[in-house]
Amino acid sequence: MNRWEDIVQVPLPLPFALKIIHAYLIKGEQGYTIIDTGLHTEEDLSTWKQAQKEVGWSWQDVEKIVLTHYHPDHYGLAGKLQQLTGAPVYMSETDYQQAKLFLDRESDMPEIMADFYRKHGMGEERASQIPGHLRSFCRWVEPHPEPTFIKDGTSIRLGDRDYVIYHTPGHADGHLSFFDPERGWLIGGDFLLPKISPNISLWPKCNPNPLGTYLQTLTEMKSLPVKKVFPSHGPVFDHYVERIGQLQQHHAERLQKMEDFLIQTGGATAFEVCTYLFGADLSIHNLRFAMAETLAHLEYLRLADEITRLEKENRYIYSVV
């Protein structure tokens, strides 16, 4: 576990491609604040208990639990930790609603998502795997927390310092980041990662243009005087403005690559574009995110009137104008 003054980085294991999520523990006079939680697994609970031994704190010492967003690796243990600590859980209202939409056992989102992917060209063999795969995450997020909602433009006490709350959507509609203006430190969740591009996904019933939103977030946040970023994946880093520029360039290049493919093919489904970009040999987990990322870029181009979308034989075909 790495440490910076009052902040401890806690690496928690994940049973999928990212392998590790970095949660953070912030020490204050009133107790400890946990930033993001990992999944509700025995491995992640054991890691938190090991952090207690190494740092010297107990569940009763936890003052609050704060979530950057609703994705299972950030949100999953929040309800269990709330039971263990009695501490309030803070997150955006948007992301709590989406946690229930995607991760509640009674939600029909798994079936909606499978139909959505069929409409965009995914074959029945893969699409039929989507509902079971999505519902497999429920066990990793139960029990759901009972949160207190926080929002952009206000401040929150983390440890002994006041952090400004910034709404940094794109990766998740209600994603929040936390900025300490005195030190120039940003606890950024998945808003800005040092080595990989945050997944920007288009989902049913959510933001219809998440890539447009994310690019706007990058532009708006670029002027913030950030000296150090504490991300959820990858090492703490200080090349904030440079990294924003790299991600802007990355998405520009991907958009151009998609347009070139559509010109070459004369039109294609999102699934065909996805296969071109990411390959055909993907697990259902990786395919779900690859499709959602592909759709975010295609819909960005469509809404910018760069490409069109027509329905043919009950499937959407994207073409260059």
Side-chain angles (χ1 to χ4, degrees):
M1 275 176 271
N2 296 313
R3 306 186 190 198
W4 296 263
E5 297 179 16
D6 56 334
I7 298 180
V8 179
Q9 186 185 66
V10 182
L12 300 163
L14 300 173
F16 37 80
L18 288 172
K19 303 297 185 186
I20 293 289
I21 175 178
H22 289 138
Y24 293 94
L25 187 69
I26 305 180
K27 184 178 181 180
E29 290 185 1
Q30 302 301 316
Y32 287 84
T33 294
I34 290 173
I35 309 290
D36 292 334
T37 67
L39 299 170
H40 190 174
T41 63
E42 286 302 318
E43 292 81 3
D44 283 8
L45 271 172
S46 295
T47 302
W48 277 115
K49 291 173 183 176
Q50 182 61 34
Q52 291 177 337
K53 293 178 182 178
E54 291 188 24
V55 179
W57 57 284
S58 69
W59 296 128
Q60 290 70 35
D61 296 325
V62 176
E63 179 188 7
K64 57 173 70 83
I65 299 162
V66 179
L67 306 179
T68 58
H69 60 296
Y70 78 93
H71 292 163
D73 51 333
H74 300 255
Y75 172 92
L77 252 179
K80 181 63 176 178
L81 294 187
Q82 188 172 39
Q83 290 179 345
L84 291 170
T85 63
V89 172
Y90 295 91
M91 67 185 300
S92 72
E93 184 173 6
T94 294
D95 267 27
Y96 182 65
Q97 292 171 347
Q98 293 197 352
K100 302 295 282 188
L101 178 66
F102 282 91
L103 301 167
D104 191 287
R105 289 185 186 270
E106 304 305 315
S107 174
D108 60 355
M109 176 56 85
E111 287 72 30
I112 291 172
M113 191 178 295
D115 288 341
F116 181 66
Y117 283 162
R118 289 184 186 100
K119 193 83 171 177
H120 284 284
M122 185 180 288
E124 183 58 31
E125 181 182 354
R126 305 309 300 275
S128 64
Q129 298 176 46
I130 293 293
H133 171 67
L134 191 54
R135 285 202 169 89
S136 72
F137 283 82
C138 293
R139 69 187 190 277
W140 287 335
V141 304
E142 294 170 338
H144 288 270
E146 297 179 5
T148 300
F149 299 130
I150 52 177
K151 60 184 179 179
D152 176 70
T154 61
S155 64
I156 187 170
R157 192 81 168 169
L158 305 178
D160 293 330
R161 293 177 174 270
D162 290 322
Y163 285 69
V164 180
I165 302 171
Y166 283 87
H167 182 212
T168 48
H171 177 70
D173 290 355
H175 191 293
L176 300 176
S177 298
F178 306 94
F179 181 61
D180 173 4
E182 291 186 7
R183 295 184 293 194
W185 289 11
L186 182 75
I187 300 174
D190 285 352
F191 152 60
L192 198 69
L193 304 177
K195 295 185 176 181
I196 61 174
S197 170
N199 178 261
I200 309 301
S201 291
L202 186 143
W203 308 114
K205 296 189 176 184
C206 298
N207 184 348
N209 189 11
L211 180 58
T213 296
Y214 184 63
L215 294 175
Q216 182 179 352
T217 297
L218 290 176
T219 298
E220 291 176 352
M221 292 291 287
K222 198 169 188 176
S223 62
L224 200 67
V226 174
K227 297 179 180 178
K228 194 182 297 291
V229 181
F230 294 80
S232 295
H233 306 285
V236 171
F237 64 100
D238 56 13
H239 55 289
Y240 177 74
V241 172
E242 178 186 352
R243 185 58 183 151
I244 287 177
Q246 290 170 352
L247 288 171
Q248 290 170 324
Q249 181 64 26
H250 163 78
H251 288 291
E253 291 173 356
R254 176 158 290 175
L255 290 165
Q256 187 60 57
K257 190 173 184 178
M258 287 186 175
E259 282 200 75
D260 291 344
F261 178 73
L262 293 178
I263 291 171
Q264 293 165 11
T265 59
T269 65
F271 184 76
E272 289 169 332
V273 178
C274 177
T275 301
Y276 167 69
L277 289 172
F278 299 104
D281 188 24
L282 296 176
S283 68
I284 194 63
H285 177 82
N286 290 337
L287 178 58
R288 179 163 67 88
F289 284 101
M291 271 290 286
E293 175 109 4
T294 300
L295 281 161
H297 286 74
L298 289 171
E299 284 297 296
Y300 175 86
L301 290 170
R302 186 181 71 85
L303 293 170
D305 294 325
E306 296 289 332
I307 64 175
T308 61
R309 186 186 73 190
L310 298 174
E311 188 172 350
K312 183 178 181 181
E313 297 177 354
N314 204 35
R315 290 190 174 184
Y316 288 127
I317 306 294
Y318 289 93
S319 305
V320 173
V321 175

